[in-house]
Amino acid sequence: MHSQNKLKKAFTILAFLAVGFLFGQQPYKRTLKLMGSRFDITVVAKDSLEANGYIDLAVNEISRIERLISSWDENSQTSEINRNAGIEPVKVDAELYNLIQRAIGISNLTDGAFDISYASMDKIWKFDGSMKEMPSKESIQNSVSKVGFHNIVLDKENSTVFLKLDGMKIGFGAIGKGYAADRAKDLLISKGVVSGIINASGDMNTWGRQPDGKEWKVAITNPMDKNKVFALLPITDGAVVTSGNYEKYVNFNNVRYTHIIDPRTGYPATGIISVTVFAPKAELADALATSVFVMGKEVGLNRIEQLPKVECIIIDDKGNITKSKNIQIERP
């Protein structure tokens, strides 16, 4: 009994020290453009000098990943893979190989609703107001003729990636920012940063708590009015990603077509205007948010509920809110 009390006392002191350590710190935030998008990086630190050192580390890590996965940078390994489509396999770093392997895993999980070879798609849909009529059925079918994750050949032994079809391309637009946020977060944790947020244009990745001990809270935008928040959700260690079509869409024959296109058919997704996914990693949340749009409400929700530690909120084009079973929505 005596030793138990000593143990309890030790734990109490440790808990007190941990809380005290946080109370001596405060959050510091920097906003900048990375990977063609807005990034807000927040770290909890004792002073601005320490905070800026940590944020610099995160920026360097995100920039390194961009150089690896960018299909716009002709010197990247991703561009090298695309240049050699239909010609020969390309040897790549283990990091890129593993990212592509995980992406193919998500493609299998979502029956191809997520597909990094979407970059092969002909851009026949315009969401800038210039489209006056729907593309023809034939041109839509042709637009995805070179899309298909089954045509990405991986050789683990040689760490090579080969795209079977001439003109085929891969891109990380629906997974890259989430992956970069994950890597930056892991790096900062390894350097001793106790708490923070990396917000990659709405891909939120958090760890720890606010200096006062309260959980970080994520605001979910009302897609019917993007200036209003319809829910606040606490998040302490994980990621939340929202995909919305309330800004980019076209209407034909009373159907609203979103800018998120089904890589299997070439047709834009319909019926959903906002998907928010909670997952342990931003990479997975990023990919699944896009996938649910494409799969639709029923199939998407069913798939999400089969995954451990993954939850979602779906808003359809009638304004109805559907959420997975374990989410508790807190109204602002």
Side-chain angles (χ1 to χ4, degrees):
M1 187 72 178
H2 179 65
S3 62
Q4 265 191 332
N5 284 339
K6 277 177 72 176
L7 198 60
K8 280 183 184 174
K9 190 175 179 183
F11 276 125
T12 305
I13 291 167
L14 281 173
F16 176 78
L17 286 174
V19 172
F21 182 61
L22 269 179
F23 273 124
Q25 301 187 327
Q26 64 185 72
Y28 294 87
K29 176 180 168 183
R30 190 190 304 172
T31 299
L32 60 164
K33 191 172 183 180
L34 296 163
M35 303 180 81
S37 301
R38 173 178 165 150
F39 271 69
D40 297 293
I41 302 172
T42 302
V43 296
V44 172
K46 63 186 181 189
D47 55 44
S48 61
L49 184 66
E50 182 181 68
N52 282 321
Y54 287 139
I55 292 171
D56 287 344
L57 286 174
V59 170
N60 291 340
E61 177 69 352
I62 293 163
S63 299
R64 181 190 69 78
I65 290 162
E66 182 177 17
R67 288 192 297 274
L68 184 69
I69 70 173
S70 172
S71 53
W72 302 105
D73 181 354
E74 61 179 27
N75 297 313
S76 74
Q77 291 185 9
T78 301
S79 292
E80 186 69 7
I81 292 168
N82 291 342
R83 269 195 299 273
N84 284 280
I87 303 170
E88 63 180 358
V90 173
K91 189 173 181 64
V92 298
D93 291 352
E95 181 179 9
L96 182 59
Y97 182 93
N98 291 336
L99 178 62
I100 293 169
Q101 188 173 49
R102 291 196 302 276
I104 291 173
I106 297 171
S107 296
N108 280 308
L109 180 72
T110 60
D111 303 321
F114 172 83
D115 192 330
I116 57 169
S117 70
Y118 80 93
S120 315
M121 204 183 296
D122 295 331
K123 293 174 176 58
I124 59 172
W125 296 88
K126 310 290 182 190
F127 299 95
D128 57 4
S130 63
M131 280 185 78
K132 302 304 175 193
E133 59 182 23
M134 275 186 71
S136 69
K137 187 177 179 181
E138 185 182 30
S139 66
I140 293 171
Q141 287 175 338
N142 289 338
S143 73
V144 291
S145 62
K146 292 180 180 177
V147 177
F149 68 96
H150 296 296
N151 290 316
I152 305 172
V153 181
L154 301 182
D155 180 341
K156 190 170 185 67
E157 191 176 334
N158 296 304
S159 192
T160 62
V161 181
F162 178 52
L163 308 182
K164 282 187 186 178
L165 307 179
D166 181 35
M168 191 176 172
K169 294 176 183 174
I170 59 170
F172 297 95
I175 197 171
K177 291 199 304 292
Y179 174 64
D182 286 336
R183 288 305 302 257
K185 169 183 167 179
D186 290 345
L187 175 64
L188 292 178
I189 290 171
S190 75
K191 298 296 182 185
V193 180
V194 293
S195 184
I197 304 174
I198 295 173
N199 181 356
S201 293
D203 294 11
M204 300 280 290
N205 211 341
T206 75
W207 70 102
R209 289 174 177 257
Q210 298 181 61
D212 62 3
K214 292 180 180 175
E215 297 168 311
W216 297 111
K217 286 193 177 171
V218 176
I220 310 297
T221 306
N222 182 341
M224 300 301 191
D225 182 352
K226 63 179 183 175
N227 295 314
K228 290 184 180 175
V229 169
F230 82 85
L232 288 170
L233 290 112
I235 181 167
T236 51
D237 187 15
V240 54
V241 172
T242 296
S243 282
N245 79 341
Y246 35 90
E247 292 173 337
K248 295 181 181 177
Y249 60 90
V250 289
N251 283 306
F252 292 120
N253 304 319
N254 296 318
V255 177
R256 179 178 171 131
Y257 294 95
T258 80
H259 72 288
I260 297 172
I261 297 173
D262 187 336
R264 302 166 296 188
T265 66
Y267 282 86
T270 60
I272 294 175
I273 59 171
S274 175
V275 176
T276 300
V277 173
F278 298 80
K281 296 279 189 182
E283 174 191 311
L284 180 62
D286 212 351
L288 290 176
T290 306
S291 304
V292 171
F293 253 99
V294 171
M295 289 187 287
K297 185 163 68 173
E298 285 76 21
V299 174
L301 189 65
N302 178 269
R303 202 59 50 93
I304 290 288
E305 292 194 330
Q306 293 177 42
L307 300 173
K309 298 180 181 176
V310 178
E311 302 292 340
C312 75
I313 299 170
I314 301 169
I315 303 176
D316 66 22
D317 54 9
K318 307 285 192 300
N320 300 314
I321 299 171
T322 305
K323 61 186 182 68
S324 54
K325 53 194 173 192
N326 293 321
I327 280 198
Q328 299 298 319
I329 292 179
E330 181 182 320
R331 300 292 180 181

